Amino acid sequence: MSAFGRSETADDLLAALLDGMDAALCAFDSDGVITHWNREAERILGWSAAEAVGRKGFAGWAVRAADAQDVQDRLMAAQDVPGRQVHEFALVTKDGGRVLVRTQSAGVPGAGGKPAGVYCAFSEVHAQIDLERSIALSEALMEDASWGVVLVDVDLRPAVVNAHAARAFGTGRTALLGRPLGELLTQGVEELEGALQHVLAEGAPPAPVELWVSVRTAEGVRRRCWRCGFLRLASPLAEEPVPLGVGWLFQDVSEARQAQLDTAQLRFRAHQLHRAGRVAADCEDPAEAAAVRLDFALAGFAEHALLDVLDRSADPERRRLVRSAASPPVLPGPGSIPVRYEAGHPVFQALDRIGSVRSSAPRGEADEEWARARQWPEGAVHALCTVLRSRGRTVGALTFLRGASRAAFERVDAEYAEEVAARIAADLDLAGAASGSGRPGAGRAGPTGGPG
């Protein structure tokens, strides 16, 4: 290829690059004559490259006469100082209007390092301000936001994480990048991934979504409620929207939601106690009233409830418990066979403490074996035993059992169980007094169950 051909190809390539830029660009030689003018400059000011190239400066056509010398001096000064110079000028469009532009100019070195001219990139100030606002917003979200911000790629892995989100996950920002969400969350990951997939496929939901998750941290697993908003991210450079991932913003609302749940739970349990009292008042047999209270207490609280009473007719040196009722019924039959609890059983611990005892199956031990060893129904994983007391005497014990689908009993659960136990103990004491025996409810079958 000839030298002329190489030069022509290079000029064509340079023209294509200049015309493809999103910013307006012009260039001046060392005398201030315009040598380059791209299409974006033509769009902003209306002057074509044929009309602009070859002119000396902007005087007489793209700037007011009063401003021409100042604009020319400030632009050409860029070839004498290192780095870029930023200025704002009011330029004149071809149709006579004025537009405020922000320019970035820098010198072009020639042979031997001598100044050969200046290039100047410019854009409308409002467009530049919009860009700067977008950049500032992105930086603020990634650094100073009071809520978590995570940019998730199309593989549903964190690509960018701000400081707040890193604290919410209990780890460093870089430690989260590229990791599957399943490694970060022990519960709630299916719901979160489902929401992200929906956003990628259908777009952002119309309202925030609240998700309960369990976060795996160095201190252990933490249960949190996050109010989440999602935005689908698409590339602005593609002809058709190409998903880049999802912008996920979240706030921790665990305390507020837990307070609401606790209030609703307290209201429900108080309502259950009230309903149980109304129904028990219509029972002629106090032992039947105790069984009624047992059924009402079970709703939303546990899977099983066992009511055991002390047999005072037996050897006083040896405590013997007899199953009075169970909800739901375990085995039908007379309530006169002692329950075979071994020494150290949580029920005996509750009797010794005159209080409540909570117990859960240890990890790695089969639920059936743990429950069977304690004479509890199959599937029991969590237990709460509390003592029955009436008129200063121990009447028996009440046991609530939960399966693996429920959380372990907490202190607030023990308080509710103790309230139920106080009312059942009064019923059993009344039943014992009515029967004239030393054991409450003696001489009759359990209303809802038999021996364990």
Side-chain angles (χ1 to χ4, degrees):
M1 182 180 291
S2 66
F4 176 79
R6 288 196 298 271
S7 177
E8 187 178 56
T9 302
D11 289 343
D12 291 342
L13 176 59
L14 178 59
L17 290 175
L18 293 179
D19 287 340
M21 294 178 62
D22 292 331
L25 189 138
C26 63
F28 305 84
D29 64 15
S30 58
D31 296 325
V33 177
I34 296 177
T35 59
H36 296 83
W37 187 267
N38 73 349
R39 288 183 181 178
E40 185 64 13
E42 179 180 347
R43 186 193 67 79
I44 293 176
L45 297 179
W47 302 95
S48 67
E51 295 170 310
V53 173
R55 292 178 181 262
K56 185 170 183 178
F58 291 144
W61 62 288
V63 71
R64 295 191 309 172
D67 300 330
Q69 190 60 48
D70 178 63
V71 170
Q72 185 75 2
D73 292 343
R74 293 165 70 181
L75 284 175
M76 298 308 296
Q79 65 181 340
D80 300 322
V81 295
R84 293 180 298 172
Q85 303 295 310
V86 178
H87 302 286
E88 289 186 3
F89 302 124
L91 299 182
V92 178
T93 63
K94 187 176 182 180
D95 59 9
R98 298 181 70 195
V99 58
L100 184 64
V101 300
R102 179 172 295 176
T103 67
Q104 295 185 43
S105 55
V108 178
K114 295 181 179 181
V118 172
Y119 79 84
C120 173
F122 63 92
S123 60
E124 298 175 81
V125 167
H126 69 82
Q128 183 70 19
I129 291 176
D130 288 343
L131 175 61
E132 292 179 4
R133 284 191 184 123
S134 298
I135 295 173
L137 175 61
S138 299
E139 292 181 350
L141 288 174
M142 290 299 106
E143 297 295 337
D144 304 323
S146 59
W147 54 85
V149 181
V150 181
L151 302 187
V152 183
D153 63 21
V154 293
D155 295 325
L156 306 185
R157 301 190 180 204
V160 182
V161 180
N162 75 343
H164 188 97
R167 289 193 298 270
F169 279 100
T171 185
R173 296 173 65 174
T174 57
L176 296 174
L177 303 184
R179 296 177 60 186
L181 294 174
E183 294 183 3
L184 307 172
L185 305 175
T186 59
Q187 290 182 342
V189 64
E190 295 85 359
E191 292 81 358
L192 177 57
E193 288 184 343
L196 295 172
Q197 290 169 353
H198 174 81
V199 173
L200 285 172
E202 305 293 337
V209 178
E210 291 189 0
L211 300 174
W212 280 95
V213 299
S214 294
V215 185
R216 184 184 287 111
T217 67
E219 294 77 20
V221 176
R222 295 184 301 172
R223 181 77 167 160
R224 312 305 296 168
C225 180
W226 289 340
R227 177 181 292 168
C228 304
F230 302 95
L231 299 170
R232 181 166 59 179
L233 306 179
S235 173
L237 304 179
E239 295 182 1
E240 297 182 359
V242 176
L244 295 178
V246 176
W248 169 32
L249 294 82
F250 65 91
Q251 280 186 313
D252 193 325
V253 294
S254 304
E255 285 71 19
R257 290 296 166 266
Q258 190 60 52
Q260 291 180 354
L261 291 176
D262 292 344
T263 300
Q265 183 185 78
L266 183 62
R267 187 184 301 114
F268 173 76
R269 290 178 178 179
H271 184 59
Q272 287 296 99
L273 290 173
H274 174 73
R275 292 178 60 202
R278 294 286 298 271
V279 176
D282 290 333
C283 296
E284 295 184 3
D285 187 350
E288 183 180 353
V292 165
R293 295 186 194 275
L294 202 65
D295 291 336
F296 274 96
L298 201 62
F301 186 66
E303 277 74 40
H304 295 276
L306 308 176
L307 180 59
D308 303 319
V309 298
L310 280 173
D311 185 1
R312 298 188 179 277
S313 63
D315 184 359
E317 298 297 328
R318 182 183 178 186
R319 290 177 300 184
R320 191 171 71 169
L321 289 167
V322 176
R323 179 66 41 82
S324 174
S327 182
V330 181
L331 291 174
S336 58
I337 301 177
V339 185
R340 299 181 300 276
Y341 291 145
E342 296 182 356
H345 193 280
V347 167
F348 289 141
Q349 295 179 30
L351 295 178
D352 293 335
R353 297 181 186 180
I354 312 180
S356 297
V357 173
R358 287 171 283 164
S359 178
S360 295
R363 291 184 179 180
E365 183 176 348
D367 300 339
E368 293 79 5
E369 296 177 3
W370 184 81
R372 188 182 303 114
R374 289 157 181 79
Q375 304 297 317
W376 286 335
E378 181 179 344
V381 176
H382 309 293
L384 170 59
C385 303
T386 188
V387 68
L388 300 172
R389 298 274 295 176
S390 178
R391 293 188 298 167
R393 296 185 308 156
T394 296
V395 178
L398 176 62
T399 301
F400 289 102
L401 302 171
R402 288 177 177 174
S405 61
R406 294 180 183 265
F409 288 100
E410 300 180 356
R411 180 57 206 166
V412 66
D413 299 320
E415 293 173 356
Y416 176 63
E418 289 166 2
E419 181 65 27
V420 174
R423 303 185 183 207
I424 291 179
D427 291 334
L428 294 179
D429 194 11
L430 181 60
S435 66
S437 69
R439 178 171 64 85
R444 65 180 305 278
T448 58

